[in-house]
C-alpha cells in the first residue's frame, strides 16, 4: 500500500482554487435552527478546517504517494462520527473547509471563515501560516487546533493562548524514539542530518533527547540530499557508493537520520558503512499514527477511514480526526456549542478523548500540547509504543515525552 | 497410615475445587477457531474451525447450539454442540462483534461494529429481521431477563443505548465514560453494569430511570493507570458479587455489588477480556488474549485455580453442560 503513515510529510500537489465549501445540508439545518430556536431544535457545532497547498518533492519510495486531501478526510470522518453521536443528543456538527492555493493569503481565507461565523478551527498549516492566523486581532476569541506544525518553538516561546496542538512536536517524537533506544541499550548514536530547516530542528530535538535520556551522539554529519541522483535509472550505483562514505566514522549502535523532506533517508538502510539499524525520520519512525497500528481498537478506525477515503490514514488525517473528535467530546459532555464553553471544557481537568491508544488523551495546560502515546513503526510492522515502561513521572508517564511543565518557556496569555 | 490418609486428602481437594461436569467454549480471535475445554479435566478436547476473527460467543438457552460471531466473515456461525461442528450460518449484518439471545432462543441481537447498527436475527430462519441504528462502534450487548429490553454500548459515542425489543427502537441513551465495551443486566433486571475501557470505570445504571447511580473506579498498587482497561463484566445471580476483567492490568476485580466497593483483584492471564460463569456460579472463566489461555476462578474461594492454554488470542467464552 502506497502511503507512509509516518513522519512529517505535508506535501500537496495541484493548485485548486480557493474553495470554501460548506456541507450544504448541515448548513441549511443550522440556518433553520437559527431561525426557529425551539426547545427541540438541534444545536449546531460548527468547525472550520483550513489548509494551504504546498508543493513538495515526490517521495523517495515508489510505494509512497501524496494524497491531495490529507488531513481534510480525517476531519470529515470525525464529523460523521460526531453526527452519529449527536443524533442521540439533539446536536449537529457542520464542517466548513478552506483549501488555500500555494502562495495565496491564508489570513484572508481565515478572515472569510470568521466572517461566516466560524470560531473553532482545525489548522492544517505550517508554523508561519499558523502564527499568521493565530496572531490576527480578530482571532483572539477563536480556538485553533494545530494538526501539522511540529515546531518545538510553538510549544515554548512562540506558544499562543488560542492554539491547541494535536500533532506531536519534534521533541515528543525524538523522546519517544530515545526511550525505546535506551530500553534496547542502543546508546551510541551516529546522527546524519539533511540541510533543510526542518532537518536542523529535528537534529536538535535528537540531541536534546540524547541529553535527556543518557544517549551519546558519537558523530554528526550533514548531507545535502537534494543533490543525490534520486529515482534515476542508474541511481543505485552512485547511492550504494555514497552512503557508506557518509556513515563511515566512529562506531555506533544506531544510525539516526534527520531528513524530514524524504530526500535521502530511505537510502541509508542496507547501504550504511556498518550493519546497523536506521531510526529517525526513516527506518524506525516515531509517529502519532501509522497504518500498521491495530491495538486498542485501532483496526476499527483504520477500517472506517479506508472506507471513507479509499486510502490509508496518515498522521495528519489522524490529528485532524482527533481535533474534531475533541470538539465532539466537549459538546457531548457539556451540551454546549459555543467556542468559550467548549474550550473551557477541553482545557479543563475532566476532559479526555479516546484516540485508539489505550488511554484518555488530554491537553497540557502549560503549552496546549496534546499528551499522547507515540507509535514507533517500521515500514511493515508496529515495533513499540512509547512511553516505555520504567520512564516514570509523578503526573502521567505521557509527560515524559516532549516539554514538561518545569522546562516549558511557554507563557499563555490571551 | 499413608494409604489411609489418601481418601481424606482427595475429599479435601474435591471440596476446594469441585470437579465440574461442564464444557467451556472459547473463541480464538486470531486462531479462527473455538477451543472446547472439558470442565472436569480442564483439557482442550477439540478445536473447531469456525471462520475469520471469531469474537462474541454464546449458547442457546437449551444448550444445543453454540453461536459464534465471525467478524471478518460477516456472519454468525452455528455449531451443533453434539456434533461439535459448524452446521449453519446466520445473517448477522457486517462485522458482528458481540450479541445476545432472547430468553426463548428465537432472536439474536448482534452489534455491527463497523456499521453503527444492531441487527436482529431470526434464529430459526437464519435471516435478518431488521436493524436499529445506534452510535459509533457498537460493541457490548445485554438483554434484560424478561427479554423486553436490549442494551448496546457504542464505544466512540460513549453511550449505553436502551432498545425496546418489541418496537425495535431506541428508548433511551445514557452517556458513560470513554469507550464502553461491555454491559450486563443484573438478574433482577433492575441494573445495567457497563464497563468503560478508556474511562477505566464501571457505570452502574438504574435500568428503569436510565440514570447512572454509581461510577466505580479501580486503583491497583504497582499497576499503571493506563493499563487498567475494564472490559468483560458479570454479576452473580444472587446480586452479591460483580467481576470485571481489567484488560492489560491482567486482573479481575471483585466488587461487592451492594456497596459497590472493590474487594480484591485476582491475578489472571495477560490482557483479560471476557468472563463467563458456569451454571451454578462456582466457577468463573476468563479469556486472556495475550497469554493465549483461560483462567479458572474458584468463585466461593475467590482464587485463581488454573490456567488452560487454548488457541490464538482467546476473546470470548461460553459455558454449557
Amino acid at each position: 500500500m502506497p502511503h507512509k503513515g509516518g513522519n512529517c510529510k505535508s506535501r500537496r500537489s495541484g493548485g485548486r482554487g480557493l474553495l470554501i465549501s460548506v456541507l450544504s445540508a448541515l448548513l441549511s439545518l443550522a440556518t433553520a435552527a437559527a431561525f426557529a430556536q425551539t426547545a427541540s431544535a438541534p444545536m449546531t457545532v460548527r468547525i472550520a478546517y483550513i489548509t494551504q497547498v504546498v508543493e513538495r518533492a515526490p517521495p523517495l519510495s515508489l510505494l509512497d504517494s501524496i494524497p491531495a486531501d490529507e488531513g481534510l478526510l480525517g476531519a470529515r470522518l470525525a464529523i460523521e462520527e460526531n453526527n452519529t453521536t449527536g443524533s442521540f443528543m439533539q446536536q449537529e456538527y457542520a464542517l466548513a473547509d478552506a483549501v488555500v492555493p500555494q502562495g495565496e493569503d491564508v489570513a484572508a481565507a481565515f478572515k472569510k471563515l470568521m466572517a461566516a461565523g466560524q470560531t473553532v478551527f482545525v489548522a492544517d498549516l505550517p508554523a508561519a501560516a499558523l502564527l499568521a492566523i493565530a496572531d490576527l486581532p480578530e482571532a483572539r476569541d477563536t480556538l485553533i487546533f494545530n494538526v501539522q506544525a511540529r515546531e518545538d518553538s510553538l510549544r515554548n516561546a512562540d506558544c499562543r493562548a488560542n492554539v491547541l496542538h494535536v500533532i506531536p512536536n519534534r521533541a515528543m517524537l525524538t523522546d519517544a524514539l530515545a526511550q525505546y533506544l535506551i530500553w534496547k541499550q542502543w546508546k551510541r548514536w551516529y546522527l546524519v542530518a539533511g540541510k533543510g530547516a526542518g532537518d536542523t530542528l529535528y537534529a536538535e530535538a535528537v540531541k536534546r533527547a540524547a541529553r535527556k535520556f543518557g544517549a551519546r551522539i558519537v558523530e554528526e554529519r550533514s548531507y545535502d540530499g537534494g543533490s543525490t541522483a534520486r529515482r534515476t535509472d542508474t541511481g543505485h550505483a552512485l547511492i550504494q557508493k555514497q552512503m557508506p562514505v557518509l556513515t563511515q566514522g566512529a562506531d555506533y549502535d544506531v544510525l539516526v537520520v534527520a531528513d524530514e523532506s524524504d530526500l535521502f533517508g530511505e537510502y541509508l538502510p542496507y547501504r550504511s558503512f556498518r550493519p546497523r539499524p536506521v531510526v529517525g525520520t526513516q527506518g524506525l519512525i516515531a509517529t502519532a499514527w501509522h497504518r500498521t497500528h491495530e491495538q486498542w481498537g485501532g483496526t476499527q478506525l483504520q477500517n472506517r477511514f479506508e472506507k471513507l477515503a479509499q486510502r490509508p490514514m496518515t498522521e495528519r488525517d489522524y490529528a485532524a480526526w482527533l481535533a474534531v473528535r475533541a470538539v465532539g467530546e466537549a459538546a457531548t459532555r457539556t451540551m454546549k456549542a459555543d467556542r468559550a464553553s467548549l474550550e473551557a471544557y477541553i482545557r479543563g481537568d475532566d476532559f479526555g478523548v479516546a484516540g485508539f491508544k489505550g488511554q484518555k488523551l488530554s491537553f497540557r495546560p502549560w503549552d496546549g500540547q496534546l499528551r499522547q502515546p507515540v507509535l514507533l513503526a517500521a515500514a511493515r510492522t508496529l515495533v513499540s509504543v512509547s512511553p516505555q515502561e520504567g520512564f516514570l513521572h509523578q503526573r502521567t508517564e505521557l509527560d515524559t515525552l516532549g516539554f514538561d511543565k518545569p522546562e516549558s518557556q511557554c507563557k499563555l496569555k490571551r | 497410615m499413608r494409604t489411609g490418609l489418601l481418601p481424606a486428602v482427595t475429599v479435601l481437594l474435591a471440596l476446594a475445587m469441585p470437579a465440574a461436569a461442564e464444557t467451556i467454549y472459547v473463541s480464538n480471535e486470531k486462531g479462527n477457531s473455538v477451543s472446547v475445554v472439558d470442565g472436569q479435566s480442564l483439557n482442550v478436547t477439540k478445536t473447531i474451525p469456525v471462520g475469520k476473527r471469531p469474537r462474541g460467543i454464546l449458547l442457546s438457552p437449551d444448550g444445543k447450539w453454540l453461536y459464534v460471531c465471525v467478524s471478518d466473515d460477516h456472519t454468525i456461525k452455528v455449531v451443533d454442540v453434539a456434533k461439535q461442528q459448524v452446521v449453519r450460518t446466520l445473517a448477522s449484518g457486517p462485522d458482528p462483534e458481540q450479541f445476545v439471545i432472547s430468553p426463548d432462543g428465537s432472536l439474536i441481537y448482534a452489534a455491527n461494529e463497523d456499521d453503527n447498527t444492531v441487527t436482529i436475527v431470526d434464529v430459526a430462519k437464519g435471516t435478518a429481521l431488521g436493524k436499529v441504528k445506534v452510535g459509533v462502534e457498537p460493541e457490548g450487548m445485554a438483554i434484560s431477563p424478561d427479554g423486553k429490553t436490549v442494551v448496546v454500548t457504542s464505544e466512540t459515542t460513549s453511550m449505553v443505548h436502551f432498545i425496546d425489543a418489541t418496537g425495535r427502537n431506541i428508548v433511551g441513551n445514557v452517556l458513560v465514560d470513554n469507550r464502553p465495551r461491555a454491559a450486563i443486566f443484573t438478574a433482577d433486571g433492575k441494573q445495567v453494569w457497563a464497563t468503560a475501557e478508556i474511562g477505566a470505570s464501571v457505570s452502574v445504571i438504574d435500568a428503569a430511570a436510565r440514570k447512572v447511580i454509581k461510577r466505580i473506579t479501580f486503583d491497583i498498587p504497582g499497576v499503571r493507570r493506563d493499563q487498567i482497561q475494564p472490559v468483560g463484566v458479570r454479576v452473580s445471580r444472587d446480586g452479591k458479587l460483580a467481576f470485571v476483567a481489567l484488560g492489560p492490568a491482567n486482573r479481575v476485580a471483585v466488587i461487592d455489588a451492594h456497596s459497590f466497593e472493590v474487594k480484591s483483584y485476582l491475578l489472571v492471564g495477560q490482557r483479560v477480556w471476557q468472563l463467563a460463569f458456569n451454571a451454578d456460579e462456582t466457577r468463573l472463566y476468563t479469556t486472556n488474549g495475550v497469554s493465549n489461555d483461560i483462567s479458572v476462578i474458584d468463585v466461593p474461594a475467590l482464587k485463581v485455580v488454573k490456567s488452560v492454554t487454548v488457541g490464538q488470542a482467546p476473546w470470548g467464552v461460553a459455558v454449557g453442560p
Side-chain angles (χ1 to χ4, degrees):
Chain A
M1 293 299 287
H3 293 275
K4 196 179 263 198
N7 68 71
C8 341
K9 294 182 185 74
S10 52
R11 309 177 204 93
R12 282 180 177 276
S13 56
R16 280 188 273 171
L18 176 64
L19 169 76
I20 300 183
S21 71
V22 179
L23 299 180
S24 56
L26 287 167
L27 182 69
S28 61
L29 279 166
T31 318
F35 281 112
Q37 278 292 350
T38 60
S40 61
M43 70 169 65
T44 300
V45 183
R46 303 179 67 195
I47 302 168
Y49 169 92
I50 182 166
T51 193
Q52 183 163 34
V53 177
V54 178
E55 293 274 9
R56 301 290 287 266
L60 214 51
S61 171
L62 288 174
L63 302 185
D64 293 343
S65 63
I66 308 165
D69 45 15
E70 200 180 355
L72 175 60
L73 291 191
R76 283 212 181 126
L77 178 68
I79 283 283
E80 277 184 21
E81 293 175 9
N82 287 354
N83 270 320
T84 302
T85 302
S87 68
F88 304 108
M89 311 287 291
Q90 278 70 55
Q91 286 182 325
E92 281 162 355
Y93 295 81
L95 184 73
D97 63 77
V99 180
V100 184
Q102 187 158 18
E104 287 189 21
D105 189 3
V106 175
F110 181 83
K111 284 181 192 169
K112 206 164 169 180
L113 287 166
M114 279 206 72
Q118 302 289 347
T119 52
V120 178
F121 294 86
V122 175
D124 193 354
L125 295 167
L130 175 72
L131 288 178
I133 60 168
D135 287 342
L136 288 170
E138 51 268 66
R140 196 175 148 266
D141 292 326
T142 62
L143 177 60
I144 301 169
F145 290 91
N146 166 26
V147 299
Q148 185 188 117
R150 303 175 175 284
E151 275 67 10
D152 289 335
S153 60
L154 290 174
R155 284 77 173 170
N156 285 290
D158 282 338
C159 68
R160 295 294 185 268
N162 53 354
V163 177
L164 288 171
H165 308 278
V166 180
I167 198 90
N169 53 308
R170 290 189 178 91
M172 276 177 82
L173 300 180
T174 53
D175 284 356
L177 200 54
Q179 287 189 1
Y180 180 73
L181 297 178
I182 296 296
W183 183 83
K184 291 292 295 175
Q185 300 289 325
W186 292 344
K187 295 181 179 176
R188 295 175 305 162
W189 302 354
Y190 188 110
L191 176 61
V192 180
K195 301 265 192 194
D199 303 341
T200 308
L201 294 172
Y202 189 91
E204 278 170 17
V206 168
K207 286 186 256 184
R208 177 186 172 275
R211 282 194 302 275
K212 184 172 169 181
F213 296 107
R216 197 155 55 86
I217 310 281
V218 295
E219 187 146 346
E220 200 181 335
R221 295 281 184 93
S222 77
Y223 186 71
D224 183 4
S227 65
T228 50
R230 316 178 76 237
R231 280 194 181 182
T232 59
D233 285 346
T234 56
H236 80 273
L238 205 59
I239 288 154
Q240 85 180 49
K241 283 176 192 148
Q242 285 177 351
M243 294 302 127
V245 175
L246 177 62
T247 53
Q248 184 174 5
D251 197 7
Y252 55 89
D253 298 314
V254 284
L255 188 54
V256 185
V257 57
D259 171 28
E260 291 196 342
S261 308
D262 196 29
L263 296 176
F264 68 97
E266 287 295 347
Y267 289 147
L268 289 170
Y270 310 107
R271 302 168 184 95
S272 54
F273 181 75
R274 290 191 165 82
R276 303 280 188 270
V278 174
V279 305
T281 52
Q282 284 81 15
L284 180 69
I285 62 165
T287 177
W289 192 252
H290 199 262
R291 179 64 191 94
T292 59
H293 176 53
E294 61 165 359
Q295 294 174 68
W296 305 302
T299 306
Q300 271 86 255
L301 183 59
Q302 305 271 23
N303 287 348
R304 284 208 295 278
F305 185 85
E306 285 177 25
K307 202 167 156 187
L308 173 84
Q310 306 297 315
R311 62 172 178 81
M313 186 177 220
T314 69
E315 190 184 24
R316 260 170 63 201
D317 293 319
Y318 174 75
W321 173 84
L322 197 48
V324 174
R325 281 291 302 120
V327 176
E329 182 69 23
T332 304
R333 301 282 171 187
T334 60
M335 287 305 287
K336 296 275 171 53
D338 65 291
R339 191 274 313 162
S341 302
L342 297 175
E343 182 171 357
Y345 184 79
I346 289 169
R347 290 182 186 273
D349 292 339
D350 292 336
F351 177 79
V353 63
F356 296 91
K357 291 190 180 176
Q359 55 184 304
K360 279 210 275 194
L361 312 178
S362 59
F363 291 92
R364 291 175 180 151
W366 57 90
D367 63 1
Q369 173 65 47
L370 185 79
R371 36 169 87 92
Q372 58 188 307
V374 172
L375 312 180
L376 300 176
R380 297 177 65 81
T381 55
L382 186 81
V383 174
S384 187
V385 181
S386 285
Q388 298 294 317
E389 196 103 44
F391 290 90
L392 303 177
H393 194 281
Q394 70 278 14
R395 192 181 308 107
T396 157
E397 278 78 12
L398 293 179
D399 284 345
T400 63
L401 305 178
F403 293 97
D404 199 1
K405 194 174 179 182
E407 60 190 323
S408 175
Q409 294 158 33
C410 170
K411 299 213 178 6
L412 293 174
K413 209 164 64 190
R414 208 155 202 151
Chain B
M1 280 299 282
R2 278 189 179 178
T3 43
L5 200 62
L6 252 177
V9 172
T10 317
V11 168
L12 279 173
L13 275 175
L15 278 175
M17 191 183 163
E22 61 203 24
T23 311
I24 303 105
Y25 303 91
V26 180
S27 60
N28 302 307
E29 184 179 4
K30 292 192 173 174
N32 297 339
S33 62
V34 167
S35 297
V36 184
V37 180
D38 173 57
Q40 252 168 345
S41 65
L42 290 175
N43 286 330
V44 176
T45 55
K46 190 169 172 92
T47 302
I48 307 170
V50 289
K52 285 185 214 143
R53 205 179 178 202
R55 294 193 282 177
I57 183 167
L58 60 79
L59 280 155
S60 59
D62 62 12
K64 288 182 180 164
W65 312 102
L66 180 72
Y67 302 103
V68 187
C69 286
V70 188
S71 302
D72 284 358
D73 285 340
H74 310 289
T75 58
I76 294 168
K77 292 287 170 75
V78 185
V79 175
D80 182 326
V81 169
K83 292 184 189 159
Q84 299 210 337
Q85 66 185 45
V86 174
V87 290
R88 281 174 70 205
T89 296
L90 309 180
S92 65
D95 194 26
E97 179 160 10
Q98 288 193 48
F99 56 174
V100 286
I101 192 160
S102 59
D104 66 0
S106 66
L107 296 174
I108 278 177
Y109 301 86
N112 303 115
E113 190 169 32
D114 274 357
D115 199 39
N116 304 345
T117 52
V118 167
T119 299
I120 302 152
V121 185
D122 181 321
V123 175
K125 291 184 184 149
T127 54
L129 287 176
K131 282 182 169 205
V132 181
K133 278 199 80 69
V134 296
V136 184
E137 279 178 71
E139 168 146 344
M141 297 220 53
I143 187 163
S144 60
D146 61 9
K148 287 181 179 164
T149 308
V150 173
V151 307
V152 56
T153 67
S154 294
E155 291 176 294
T156 293
T157 298
S158 301
M159 264 178 207
V160 176
H161 309 284
F162 283 71
I163 297 169
D164 172 39
T166 319
R168 293 178 193 162
N169 59 325
I170 291 182
V171 290
N173 300 295
V174 179
L175 203 58
V176 293
D177 285 349
N178 289 136
R179 284 188 83 72
R181 290 294 303 259
I184 190 112
F185 271 90
T186 51
D188 60 10
K190 288 182 178 161
Q191 293 172 353
V192 172
W193 288 52
T195 57
E197 180 185 18
I198 299 299
S201 65
V202 172
S203 291
V204 181
I205 299 166
D206 180 317
R210 297 191 199 113
K211 290 239 150 44
V212 176
I213 52 170
K214 180 71 190 179
R215 185 175 169 270
I216 302 166
T217 56
F218 306 93
D219 186 22
I220 311 170
V223 175
R224 280 163 52 169
R225 264 196 67 195
D226 57 87
Q227 304 283 78
I228 299 172
Q229 297 172 12
V231 182
V233 55
R234 286 289 181 272
V235 184
S236 64
R237 249 193 317 270
D238 60 15
K240 286 184 180 161
L241 287 179
F243 296 85
V244 177
L246 297 178
N250 305 337
R251 282 161 176 84
V252 170
V254 184
I255 300 166
D256 180 319
H258 291 300
S259 68
F260 305 121
E261 307 245 320
V262 180
K263 292 167 56 133
S264 62
Y265 296 98
L266 306 175
L267 188 64
V268 292
Q270 291 168 19
R271 204 206 71 175
V272 55
W273 226 226
Q274 299 292 342
L275 309 170
F277 282 117
N278 62 350
D280 62 7
E281 299 194 343
T282 52
R283 276 184 182 177
L284 182 75
Y285 296 96
T286 78
T287 52
N288 312 316
V290 171
S291 48
N292 292 342
D293 55 11
I294 60 169
S295 297
V296 184
I297 294 171
D298 179 329
V299 174
L302 291 179
K303 280 207 160 66
V304 181
V305 290
K306 177 131 179 146
S307 64
V308 183
T309 299
V310 289
Q312 219 188 339
W315 195 97
V317 54
V319 186

